[in-house]
Amino acid sequence: MKLKSSLLSHLVITSIIIFSNSLIYGQSGIVQGRIVDKLTGEKLVGANVLIEGTVIGAATNIDGEFRISSVSAGKRILKASYIGYKSKEIEMEIFSEKVTELEVKLDIDIIEGEEVVVTGQLKGQQRAINEQLSANTIINVVSKDKLQELPDQNAAETISRMSGIAIQRNAGEGSKVIVRGLSPKFNAITMNGERIPSTDPVDRSVDLSMISSEMLEGIEVYKALTPNMDGDAIGGTVNFVVRKAPDQQEFRLKLLGNYNNHAEDFGNYQLTGSYGQRFFDNSLGLLINANIEDKNRSSHQLTASYNFLGQEVSDLKTAIVGIDDLNLGDRIENRQRYGFSFTADYDFGLASNLLFNTFLNKSDRDEIRRRKRYRVSTSRVEYDLRDSEIENTIWTNTLQGNHVLYDFVIGWRASYSTSRNLTPFEHAPTFREDAAFNSNLIEDQGPELIPAGAKNDIGSTSFKWDRINKRDVDEKSITAQLDLSYDYKISDLFIGKIKTGGKLKNRQRDYDDNSLWTSHFNFNDLGLDMKARPDYYKQNYKLYTVASNGAVGFVDFSDPNFSTNNFLDGAYVFNVGLSPDKIEEFYRIFKDYTFSDGDKLYITDPLADLNDYSAGEKIYAGYLMGDINLGHRLKLLGGVRYEHTQNDYKSIFGSPLINDDGESISGVTDTAGNRYYDDWLPMVHLRYKVTDWMDIRLAVTKSISRPDYFNLVPKEILNGDDRTITIGDPNLKPTQVWNYDIFVSFYNRLGLITLGGYYKELTDIDYQRSFPKLEDPSDPYFGWILVGPINSKQKSIVKGFEVEIQTNLAGLPSPFDGIVLYTNFSKIWSQTYYPYFEVYTKLVPFPPFVVSTAVDTLREGKVVGQADVLANLTLGYEKGGFSGRLSMFVQGRTLDFLASRAEFDGYTESTVRWDLAFKQNIFNDLSIFFNFNNLSNVPEAAILGFKDYSTREEFYGWTADFGIQLKL
């Protein structure tokens, strides 16, 4: 009801303003057209068009088109400008209530008659600069031309080259982006303005590794929202702009082969193709894009965890730590990616159009990970295997239109999107050796000494358990949106626009977790002792070797061909691993096996079902915004967005009771929860043009981030193995943020320099809280740890500054005119508070004689995922059909997780990564190229906070691409 009343009020106010202005300014006309490059005919996006002597103007859209209303009748001069090109003035006659159409052709700006050819890198730079400067908000842009020149594996890698953006990698390639120190779940990922459903099983983030940059027209990163944008993005909104058919018929084909240095594999490839054409006097455009690739993303891995052993006698504030768990892993992974998009657009003229787009991306991952685990704290060594298949799919469909009725613009959009994260099969067996170490290991010396203390007794290593997993996470989203805008004029020096609209978004997510396991019996190893169950071996198809403890042994499951060379750069030796084929054979034999007493070997794990949930989310939104040009220098944009959220969730509550056969008989019930809440999000932007080469932008905006789905589920999962009770909270509040931005830009035909700062104040940020149940000793769960999400009562702060320089030397004499430079630098600080508990124990003279009390407390730290420093440097050179580019990416130390003590905080180490790209035109339509990624062969590495103890290392090597591109 609140939404309906709010929208009605908006429409009434808008109607009054529209009626009033229509009476006063009826004697005016409309100018529309497009701005193009005089030499090539290419559309110029972000060009500025202004009626001389007024502030009436517009910027060209993605099609290079502009539309200016409320132009007073009579003779007028129109001025078109585009950084890097010469401005042009055109005299025209404007007629009342008539439309004047024209095409403006601009010449590139040159010095002293030097002939300059606008090359791919320079085009990309100029377009990005002009789009950023013409926007009403703070935005970074990667244009189509720049996308085609970068040697990036996927869209995530491309985005990381923008200022203030860090990257999360998976298997050495970009996966998710961190905008301004805030983790991926705090950022919105959209396609043509419509949000892409999450691909993550737990949170709201999107894996971008499956999206090829080749299929995009451009990428926009909005760092300050406006009221007509979805309000749930507190770091920023990343928008992918889909390609449309060009003015001329176009066919593109790109084929490349890839070499993976780590795997010494030449068998990788990528094929991309597109075809676009316009029909019916360029009114109808059709474009088809498709891509397929096969890449080897194998690596060597190390992970480690540590425990607290005490404190230094000389300094009680310094902890002594020891290795708890060291894992060495060899991962063989092959990734296939497929992409398809189809775009149809129809131009009715008078800036009215329709557009339909379908965009499908799919990735298939086949992984075999062998791991050796030194479990020091329990004196065990384990060998495990993960043989898995993972499928990720994103499919978005959008139909949208814009219709002009004189000074009115009606926009509408409807979309249907789905994402699916499917693990159809994952086989995960474990073999264990008990009493696996020869002596006590040296404490406080890091992980390198651990393997030397292990017995490595294969004869004592037995089959501990086997597990077959399947997981399916499916999310669907349906949206409908309607916008109405009106251009008004108070005078030639005071003009503006009023815009209002509403949106309905309906999401549904279903999570289904299934698992077969063999660890339901209360004994130590798979199959029991031969003496207890002799029929186990009598009826199978082969006789397996028996370990020293009487259970199925390791020997028959090892892979004699497995070995690793130069494992983790020669720091460790890892040459014993399990055979996936032998494990699979065992499963085929015994998956339906029943013992003589009726027990089954593989049964459904009832604990896995406790992860299942179904989540629904409906969002009703409305907004009112307006902007006004106050003279030639000042522009003000402001408004408010209202969002009403309805959540409903279903899950399973409790802990399963298991009978002697390992089957669940009771203990769980279905449960449901729901929540309704409202958010008002005011936003104000101000732009002041100090001179013709400098402007200042200020923004004060409020935005939110809704909690992760799994945290909202009203679940209760009791896990006896680690004595934890995991709960959810349907009443968890969204995180609310006030954002303050200031940006100063300096620009001319040679490029752009931007200096910016931001300050974010976050309230109700949510964390996982662990707290022991110590109130009632008679409680059957006394001493268990309660784990669940809570909203922090303290405010969190994220702040930083960004510097960006884009320039070229196109006006200098040859050969220096081919140099193109792009660089940025970001420094980020953050402050937040993490909950943890301390337990105090005291003796009392009566039963139970020992009383323990847990006290909630807080630790101050950085926001998880925040890197201190980010930097990019790209130096390009283009001349005579040659294009070369050397790129450097720097990401400073990043907080991975915060522990109860600073000594146990985990950090991703700082990294410097180099990439190199070459391209040479053979003919006008044929090019060859050569790309190197990760030239410096930098591993992914993480350490403890106070010592250089490794907690994670991953070596994946460098890659090289060689290919051809045909454009007709």
Side-chain angles (χ1 to χ4, degrees):
M1 190 57 117
K2 289 182 179 180
L3 177 63
K4 292 180 180 179
S5 300
S6 177
L7 289 178
L8 181 60
S9 300
H10 294 171
L11 292 174
V12 169
I13 295 171
T14 304
S15 299
I16 293 172
I17 295 174
I18 290 172
F19 180 73
S20 301
N21 281 276
S22 297
L23 291 176
I24 300 172
Y25 293 99
Q27 302 300 311
S28 61
I30 295 173
V31 180
Q32 68 179 34
R34 66 176 189 162
I35 312 295
V36 299
D37 182 297
K38 183 177 181 179
L39 181 64
T40 66
E42 289 190 59
K43 54 198 176 189
L44 299 180
V45 181
N48 278 305
V49 186
L50 183 70
I51 304 299
E52 281 284 351
T54 76
V55 294
I56 302 172
T60 56
N61 61 17
I62 195 171
D63 296 312
E65 300 173 342
F66 67 92
R67 181 178 183 274
I68 306 174
S69 62
S70 302
V71 183
S72 300
K75 289 186 177 182
R76 295 287 180 263
I77 295 176
L78 180 142
K79 182 179 180 180
S81 59
Y82 189 83
I83 289 179
Y85 284 71
K86 294 180 179 179
S87 298
K88 189 170 186 178
E89 295 183 353
I90 299 172
E91 186 174 339
M92 69 186 78
E93 183 79 19
I94 304 299
F95 298 95
S96 177
E97 300 184 5
K98 298 290 184 181
V99 176
T100 302
E101 296 194 38
L102 72 161
E103 181 177 80
V104 182
K105 298 179 180 181
L106 299 183
D107 289 303
I108 187 171
D109 197 0
I110 57 177
I111 295 179
E112 298 178 356
E114 290 282 344
E115 182 179 354
V116 177
V117 178
V118 183
T119 53
Q121 293 187 46
L122 184 56
K123 285 180 183 177
Q125 185 187 82
Q126 289 176 338
R127 177 168 169 177
I129 290 173
N130 282 279
E131 285 191 66
Q132 288 176 205
L133 291 176
S134 63
N136 287 329
T137 183
I138 297 168
I139 183 176
N140 292 120
V141 176
V142 179
S143 67
K144 174 189 67 175
D145 302 288
K146 197 170 183 179
L147 286 172
Q148 294 171 2
E149 296 292 327
L150 294 171
D152 295 325
Q153 302 284 343
N154 56 52
E157 298 276 3
T158 301
I159 298 168
S160 70
R161 299 184 186 276
M162 299 184 184
S163 63
I165 298 180
I167 192 170
Q168 289 184 352
R169 297 186 184 275
N170 184 285
E173 64 177 3
S175 174
K176 300 178 181 180
V177 292
I178 299 169
V179 182
R180 290 180 162 182
L182 291 162
S183 68
K185 70 176 185 177
F186 289 130
N187 306 306
I189 308 296
T190 63
M191 182 74 66
N192 264 19
E194 206 56 64
R195 188 150 187 168
I196 297 175
S198 167
T199 60
D200 193 274
V202 178
D203 62 32
R204 295 176 182 262
S205 62
V206 179
D207 182 357
L208 302 178
S209 66
M210 70 183 77
I211 298 178
S212 171
S213 301
E214 300 279 349
M215 303 178 69
L216 303 172
E217 179 75 16
I219 302 175
E220 304 165 333
V221 178
Y222 290 89
K223 295 180 175 178
L225 303 182
T226 53
N228 60 324
M229 302 172 64
D230 290 343
D232 53 342
I234 63 178
T237 295
V238 178
N239 182 49
F240 297 121
V241 183
V242 301
R243 291 183 61 200
K244 294 169 58 177
D247 291 340
Q248 303 296 324
Q249 177 180 300
E250 180 182 274
F251 171 76
R252 288 185 183 179
L253 183 65
K254 186 175 184 179
L255 174 64
L256 61 83
N258 175 273
Y259 172 72
N260 181 287
N261 156 255
H262 172 81
E264 299 181 352
D265 184 2
F266 285 94
N268 307 294
Y269 65 88
Q270 179 179 340
L271 177 63
T272 303
S274 67
Y275 177 77
Q277 187 172 354
R278 303 201 73 85
F279 305 89
F280 308 126
D281 196 25
N282 281 347
S283 295
L284 174 65
L286 302 177
L287 177 70
I288 297 176
N289 286 281
N291 73 282
I292 180 173
E293 64 179 84
D294 191 309
K295 296 290 180 66
N296 188 321
R297 301 306 308 175
S298 302
S299 64
H300 289 160
Q301 301 173 324
L302 174 149
T303 59
S305 60
Y306 300 83
N307 53 26
F308 176 66
L309 300 178
Q311 295 173 318
E312 295 281 2
V313 176
S314 59
D315 182 5
L316 295 180
K317 294 183 179 180
T318 302
I320 302 174
V321 302
I323 190 76
D324 180 44
D325 193 3
L326 171 66
N327 307 310
L328 305 180
D330 175 77
R331 190 172 56 82
I332 300 172
E333 182 176 344
N334 185 256
R335 296 186 176 186
Q336 299 88 33
R337 282 190 275 257
Y338 316 90
F340 172 81
S341 73
F342 170 72
T343 304
D345 69 280
Y346 195 89
D347 187 355
F348 294 97
L350 297 176
S352 297
N353 55 70
L354 287 175
L355 183 142
F356 170 76
N357 172 258
T358 183
F359 196 95
L360 175 66
N361 284 271
K362 186 176 188 294
S363 70
D364 294 333
R365 302 180 180 180
D366 297 318
E367 177 191 34
I368 296 175
R369 188 204 63 188
R370 297 175 176 91
R371 187 169 62 169
K372 185 173 183 179
R373 307 188 68 182
Y374 298 92
R375 310 197 75 164
V376 180
S377 60
T378 54
S379 191
R380 297 168 177 168
V381 170
E382 293 179 350
Y383 297 86
D384 64 31
L385 175 78
R386 186 173 68 197
D387 184 1
S388 62
E389 302 169 10
I390 302 174
E391 300 174 9
N392 256 327
T393 306
I394 294 174
W395 184 34
T396 66
N397 301 271
T398 305
L399 178 64
Q400 62 188 64
N402 285 288
H403 309 282
V404 178
L405 301 174
Y406 198 65
D407 289 343
F408 298 88
V409 178
I410 301 173
W412 57 271
R413 180 167 59 205
S415 71
Y416 172 74
S417 304
T418 67
S419 69
R420 190 180 189 190
N421 183 303
L422 174 65
T423 304
F425 178 82
E426 181 181 76
H427 200 164
T430 298
F431 287 72
R432 175 180 291 176
E433 174 193 359
D434 291 314
F437 292 95
N438 289 310
S439 60
N440 292 329
L441 300 173
I442 299 175
E443 299 171 353
D444 200 24
Q445 296 296 314
E448 292 83 2
L449 300 178
I450 301 303
K455 296 178 181 178
N456 297 309
D457 185 359
I458 297 300
S460 299
T461 303
S462 60
F463 206 156
K464 177 62 180 176
W465 55 61
D466 197 15
R467 181 178 287 272
I468 308 295
N469 299 315
K470 179 180 179 180
R471 183 182 64 200
D472 191 357
V473 186
D474 189 19
E475 183 171 334
K476 297 179 175 64
S477 176
I478 299 175
T479 66
Q481 180 170 334
L482 179 65
D483 301 289
L484 173 65
S485 65
Y486 174 73
D487 293 325
Y488 67 90
K489 183 174 74 171
I490 299 174
S491 72
D492 284 347
L493 296 178
F494 295 92
I495 67 166
K497 176 182 293 186
I498 292 178
K499 191 171 184 179
T500 188
K503 185 173 185 178
L504 168 63
K505 184 185 301 182
N506 189 354
R507 294 176 182 157
Q508 180 65 41
R509 167 177 275 219
D510 296 295
Y511 186 109
D512 184 24
D513 197 359
N514 295 284
S515 181
L516 295 176
W517 66 340
T518 63
S519 59
H520 52 285
F521 301 107
N522 294 318
F523 53 82
N524 292 327
D525 288 277
L526 182 67
L528 280 180
D529 187 274
M530 289 182 66
K531 296 178 181 179
R533 293 181 183 265
D535 61 304
Y536 180 84
Y537 297 93
K538 291 178 182 178
Q539 298 184 27
N540 70 35
Y541 296 93
K542 64 182 289 186
L543 184 63
Y544 286 99
T545 302
V546 178
S548 60
N549 64 353
V552 179
F554 178 89
V555 176
D556 294 321
F557 297 90
S558 65
D559 187 346
N561 299 317
F562 172 70
S563 65
T564 60
N565 296 321
N566 198 33
F567 187 82
L568 293 180
D569 205 23
Y572 298 87
V573 176
F574 181 26
N575 288 320
V576 179
L578 294 166
S579 166
D581 294 336
K582 294 177 180 179
I583 294 294
E584 180 65 23
E585 179 189 33
F586 181 91
Y587 172 65
R588 288 197 307 267
I589 294 172
F590 293 108
K591 65 179 180 179
D592 299 318
Y593 189 83
T594 303
F595 295 113
S596 57
D597 57 6
D599 289 345
K600 293 181 178 180
L601 183 60
Y602 287 88
I603 69 162
T604 299
D605 181 2
L607 290 175
D609 289 337
L610 296 182
N611 293 320
D612 295 352
Y613 68 87
S614 177
E617 184 172 82
K618 292 182 180 180
I619 301 171
Y620 302 88
Y623 71 91
L624 177 65
M625 61 182 286
D627 65 63
I628 184 170
N629 288 285
L630 302 170
H632 292 284
R633 305 257 179 220
L634 184 63
K635 183 169 186 175
L636 179 66
L637 183 151
V640 63
R641 183 176 184 86
Y642 166 78
E643 294 192 352
H644 173 73
T645 305
Q646 298 180 2
N647 292 128
D648 60 86
Y649 296 89
K650 296 179 181 178
S651 63
I652 301 174
F653 184 90
S655 179
L657 302 178
I658 302 173
N659 63 16
D660 293 337
D661 295 331
E663 298 171 337
S664 176
I665 54 176
S666 66
V668 297
T669 58
D670 291 335
T671 185
N674 54 66
R675 174 116 191 272
Y676 309 104
Y677 57 90
D678 302 305
D679 290 289
W680 290 91
L681 307 174
M683 305 176 190
V684 178
H685 297 254
L686 184 146
R687 184 178 68 187
Y688 182 70
K689 193 173 181 65
V690 182
T691 68
D692 290 340
W693 47 267
M694 174 185 176
D695 67 41
I696 300 174
R697 297 172 188 242
L698 303 173
V700 179
T701 60
K702 187 179 182 183
S703 55
I704 63 170
S705 177
R706 295 181 175 87
D708 295 336
Y709 294 107
F710 200 62
N711 285 343
L712 290 167
V713 175
K715 61 181 179 290
E716 180 180 279
I717 302 174
L718 282 72
N719 190 329
D721 290 340
D722 55 9
R723 293 169 58 85
T724 60
I725 304 173
T726 304
I727 62 172
D729 183 5
N731 293 315
L732 201 64
K733 299 177 182 178
T735 301
Q736 300 193 41
V737 185
W738 277 104
N739 310 277
Y740 305 90
D741 294 86
I742 178 170
F743 269 70
V744 182
S745 300
F746 306 90
Y747 43 88
N748 59 25
R749 61 179 181 78
L750 295 178
L752 168 71
I753 299 176
T754 300
L755 308 174
Y758 57 90
Y759 182 92
K760 296 177 179 290
E761 190 175 81
L762 296 78
T763 56
D764 290 325
I765 193 168
D766 61 271
Y767 298 105
Q768 289 292 323
R769 171 184 179 265
S770 299
F771 197 76
K773 293 172 66 66
L774 299 175
E775 297 84 4
D776 183 5
S778 64
D779 186 340
Y781 301 110
F782 178 79
W784 287 43
I785 303 297
L786 193 68
V787 181
I790 63 167
N791 289 113
S792 175
K793 297 179 181 179
Q794 285 74 29
K795 290 183 179 180
S796 299
I797 302 298
V798 178
K799 59 185 178 181
F801 70 85
E802 301 170 357
V803 180
E804 182 180 42
I805 301 174
Q806 300 186 60
T807 188
N808 64 81
L809 305 181
L812 295 183
S814 180
F816 304 105
D817 56 346
I819 297 175
V820 179
L821 175 67
Y822 173 76
T823 185
N824 61 58
F825 175 84
S826 302
K827 176 67 176 176
I828 307 173
W829 297 268
S830 64
Q831 180 188 52
T832 189
Y833 297 89
Y834 297 86
Y836 77 101
F837 66 88
E838 293 182 346
V839 177
Y840 298 93
T841 302
K842 66 177 181 179
L843 301 177
V844 295
F846 48 81
F849 302 110
V850 177
V851 176
S852 297
T853 304
V855 177
D856 259 327
T857 186
L858 296 170
R859 262 208 65 200
E860 182 181 331
K862 298 192 299 184
V863 171
V864 171
Q866 179 238 307
D868 295 330
V869 173
L870 297 167
N872 281 279
L873 172 64
T874 300
L875 181 63
Y877 186 82
E878 294 184 306
K879 198 76 172 176
F882 169 80
S883 175
R885 185 187 295 264
L886 178 65
S887 302
M888 179 186 69
F889 170 71
V890 178
Q891 184 165 315
R893 179 175 287 192
T894 303
L895 178 65
D896 281 340
F897 59 86
L898 203 80
S900 59
R901 296 180 60 102
E903 295 90 341
F904 293 93
D905 293 346
Y907 292 86
T908 295
E909 270 286 54
S910 57
T911 183
V912 179
R913 178 185 171 112
W914 292 87
D915 301 314
L916 184 63
F918 298 109
K919 180 180 178 182
Q920 178 65 58
N921 294 334
I922 306 301
F923 307 108
N924 288 335
D925 301 323
L926 181 65
S927 304
I928 60 173
F929 55 90
F930 198 32
N931 300 329
F932 286 99
N933 290 95
N934 193 26
L935 267 176
S936 46
N937 197 17
V938 175
E940 293 289 316
I943 61 172
L944 281 186
F946 83 123
K947 284 184 178 290
D948 291 334
Y949 285 179
S950 292
T951 58
R952 185 181 77 253
E953 290 182 40
E954 183 174 8
F955 282 76
Y956 45 83
W958 53 266
T959 61
D961 301 324
F962 177 78
I964 60 173
Q965 179 171 288
L966 179 65
K967 180 180 177 182
L968 299 175

